[in-house]
Amino acid sequence: MKLTFLGTGTSTGVPSIGCDCQTCLSDDRRDKRLRVSVLIEDGETKILVDTSIDFRQQALRAGISRLDAVLITPSHVDHVFGLDDIRPLNFRHGAMGVYANERAWVDLRRIFQYVFEPDHFGGGLPKLLPHIVEPNASFSIGPNINITPLEVIHGKLPVIAYRFNDFAYATDLKMIPPASMDGLRDLDVLVLDCVRIKPHSTHLCLEEALAIIADLKPKRAFLTHLNHDILHERDTALLPANVQFAYDTLVVE
Ligand SMILES: [Zn+2]
Ligand SMILES: [Zn+2]
């Protein structure tokens, strides 16, 4: 299995508009962060997690020409506002399965009302096959990828983290309930939310993320949803050997 980081930035992206901090002015490409999204691949199977607001740019950069499914984490702007840009893939390959929890579907049907209640003439619409995911109800996409949705808490909002065989992707969370912690053990790769160094009301900060990693003991962990507090090269010194800051275009096999 292969995981490609399409975006690793917090909701504003990095650099942040109008900011002249050290990270936003950095020449290090690892400090340039589009909004969070990953591509999971196994053989011919390709699964996108989140149609981020930067999806078009990310798909062109990664050479995405086909997807088997899209999985949604929270229904927030940074994670879903690229949904309309699946249309070129629909034109070539037809409708696409989109997986989200019930709470996120309420938002998606409102935000993209024109898709679900079309009342205009002309103009192509995204073609979606909606699937509701339930925590711990596993399903498969392609011959080899077993997916287990796990509920995590983003402030007060229940959000889905996804386990793909021995990889897991858990972003936009402040707390992982015990049952979901148990679903995240014995991992080869854990991708975890870490918005910044200092505490945040709805996201994990660095200390909290490292405490969860120390408990779960994945072979390798990657931190994502990073804001401009984190300067890749300098702050890597703060991490244990099996943990690194993710960066856009990084591939993990
Ligand atoms: Zn987010
Ligand atoms: Zn900045």
Side-chain angles (χ1 to χ4, degrees), residues 15-91:
S16 179
I17 293 172
C19 186
D20 60 1
C21 78
Q22 196 181 350
T23 305
C24 290
L25 296 180
S26 166
D27 289 329
D28 187 337
R29 69 185 179 89
R30 297 169 301 178
D31 292 316
K32 312 271 181 230
R33 303 169 187 137
L34 298 178
R35 268 55 74 88
V36 286
S37 176
V38 291
L39 181 68
I40 304 282
E41 295 172 89
D42 183 280
E44 292 301 300
T45 308
K46 293 176 191 287
I47 300 169
L48 178 74
V49 184
D50 291 334
T51 51
S52 95
I53 197 165
D54 295 316
F55 172 62
R56 178 176 176 276
Q57 190 180 346
Q58 291 166 331
L60 292 171
R61 181 168 71 180
I64 292 172
S65 58
R66 194 183 62 75
L67 289 171
D68 291 283
V70 173
L71 275 50
I72 301 294
T73 56
S75 50
H76 291 161
V77 169
D78 46 332
H79 298 257
V80 305
F81 264 32
L83 185 64
D84 199 270
D85 282 324
I86 70 165
R87 288 180 304 141
L89 302 178
N90 295 148
F91 300 154

Side-chain angles (χ1 to χ4, degrees), residues 130-150:
H131 297 271
I132 296 174
V133 300
E134 303 278 354
N136 305 306
S138 299
F139 58 97
S140 293
I141 293 178
N144 298 317
I145 304 184
N146 182 62
I147 301 169
T148 304
L150 297 161

Side-chain angles (χ1 to χ4, degrees), residues 37-250:
S37 176
V38 291
L39 181 68
I40 304 282
E41 295 172 89
D42 183 280
E44 292 301 300
T45 308
K46 293 176 191 287
I47 300 169
L48 178 74
V49 184
D50 291 334
T51 51
S52 95
I53 197 165
D54 295 316
F55 172 62
R56 178 176 176 276
Q57 190 180 346
Q58 291 166 331
L60 292 171
R61 181 168 71 180
I64 292 172
S65 58
R66 194 183 62 75
L67 289 171
D68 291 283
V70 173
L71 275 50
I72 301 294
T73 56
S75 50
H76 291 161
V77 169
D78 46 332
H79 298 257
V80 305
F81 264 32
L83 185 64
D84 199 270
D85 282 324
I86 70 165
R87 288 180 304 141
L89 302 178
N90 295 148
F91 300 154
R92 290 163 173 275
H93 307 291
M96 191 184 304
V98 178
Y99 296 73
N101 67 3
E102 200 162 5
R103 178 68 178 72
W105 274 117
V106 172
D107 294 336
L108 290 168
R109 287 178 188 279
R110 188 186 66 251
I111 296 164
F112 297 98
Q113 191 218 4
Y114 65 94
V115 175
F116 297 98
E117 297 167 38
D119 60 359
H120 71 291
F121 296 94
L125 294 173
K127 291 189 171 59
L128 318 179
L129 304 170
H131 297 271
I132 296 174
V133 300
E134 303 278 354
N136 305 306
S138 299
F139 58 97
S140 293
I141 293 178
N144 298 317
I145 304 184
N146 182 62
I147 301 169
T148 304
L150 297 161
E151 193 163 86
V152 296
I153 307 299
H154 183 29
K156 291 179 180 166
L157 184 71
V159 167
I160 298 294
Y162 294 94
R163 180 172 183 147
F164 307 88
N165 301 342
D166 295 331
F167 284 35
Y169 184 75
T171 188
D172 290 62
L173 66 99
K174 179 69 175 175
M175 197 274 281
I176 305 180
S180 298
M181 284 292 280
D182 289 342
L184 293 169
R185 298 191 191 279
D186 303 316
L187 288 168
D188 285 340
V189 172
L190 171 65
V191 181
L192 189 62
D193 187 12
C194 172
V195 74
R196 64 187 188 191
I197 310 286
K198 57 180 194 274
H200 187 278
S201 58
T202 61
H203 286 274
L204 297 177
C205 66
L206 180 60
E207 190 182 338
E208 292 164 335
L210 293 180
I212 288 171
I213 292 165
D215 185 341
L216 293 176
K217 300 181 181 63
K219 289 199 181 96
R220 288 184 291 168
F222 297 85
L223 303 174
T224 194
H225 214 293
L226 310 169
N227 87 352
H228 59 169
D229 274 7
I230 293 164
L231 187 66
H232 189 102
E233 181 83 41
R234 178 194 68 200
D235 294 326
T236 293
L238 304 171
L239 304 180
N242 65 330
V243 183
Q244 60 177 285
F245 294 113
Y247 57 88
D248 289 25
T249 73
L250 173 65

